Amino acid sequence: MNWRDPRYRDGWLDWRRKRFWAWVLLLAYALVGFVIAPWILRSVIVNTIHDQLALKGSLDDVDLNPFALSLRLRGFGIDEPDGATLVKFDDLYVNFELSSLLHRAWTFGEIQLTNPFVRVERSAQGQLNLVALAGPEKTGEPADTESSGTPALLVE
């Protein structure tokens, strides 16, 4: 096989052509988006709940579609240290819109939440159990007085 022969240079899989590298980038984007990112995202969500909130988090499945910019979380739950369920839902679907770049706001085409559950209890001291979602108290650290503000949100 002679790569200098014009029959091979004009082919779709000639590594010297821009279209070859465009296909490689497209395949790499798809591989990262459909396979690697959901695996990492699931681990990050569960570990963040455990590390920052000191609660037990569970997540059955993460589906990410990098072409439609959509995310689906299945079987999400946060349990208190005693094992009681604090927050859970069966399915969360979020469809992010690319027009967010133009609107300078988080723009969602669709948000669906299936079977949400929140257990609210008041302790003998009068404190709600949902305070655990704010994270453990950090004593001795100065409060952050400078806030960046909440980002704009647009749901179509």
Side-chain angles (χ1 to χ4, degrees):
M1 200 154 118
N2 184 0
W3 289 105
R4 295 179 188 208
D5 187 353
R7 290 180 295 165
Y8 297 112
R9 279 189 289 164
D10 293 337
W12 276 95
L13 295 178
D14 184 7
W15 62 271
R16 292 172 285 186
R17 295 258 186 209
K18 289 179 185 175
R19 66 178 160 226
F20 172 80
W21 293 108
W23 280 108
V24 168
L25 287 175
L26 183 68
L27 289 173
Y29 179 72
L31 177 69
V32 168
F34 284 110
V35 178
I36 299 171
W39 179 67
I40 292 172
L41 193 58
R42 181 185 181 281
S43 175
V44 166
I45 290 171
V46 171
N47 290 338
T48 301
I49 291 169
H50 179 17
D51 296 342
Q52 292 187 3
L53 301 179
L55 299 172
K56 183 184 176 218
S58 62
L59 183 57
D60 292 340
D61 189 27
V62 176
D63 292 330
L64 183 66
N65 186 338
F67 297 113
L69 299 178
S70 65
L71 173 71
R72 182 177 303 272
L73 303 178
R74 290 190 177 104
F76 176 80
I78 299 177
D79 297 336
E80 291 184 301
D82 63 358
T85 301
L86 185 61
V87 176
K88 75 174 183 176
F89 56 79
D90 289 342
D91 189 50
L92 172 67
Y93 174 78
V94 178
N95 186 7
F96 190 71
E97 297 289 327
L98 195 57
S99 63
S100 295
L101 299 174
L102 301 174
H103 293 139
R104 291 187 166 183
W106 291 78
T107 307
F108 298 97
E110 183 179 4
I111 299 174
Q112 292 179 356
L113 184 62
T114 306
N115 295 331
F117 173 81
V118 178
R119 186 177 57 81
V120 180
E121 287 183 357
R122 184 182 301 260
S123 67
Q125 295 83 16
Q127 192 174 32
L128 291 177
N129 64 340
L130 295 178
V131 174
L133 294 176
E137 291 183 35
K138 296 177 179 157
T139 57
E141 293 183 15
D144 185 17
T145 58
E146 186 178 317
S147 68
S148 62
T150 47
L153 179 68
L154 179 62
V155 179
E156 296 179 353

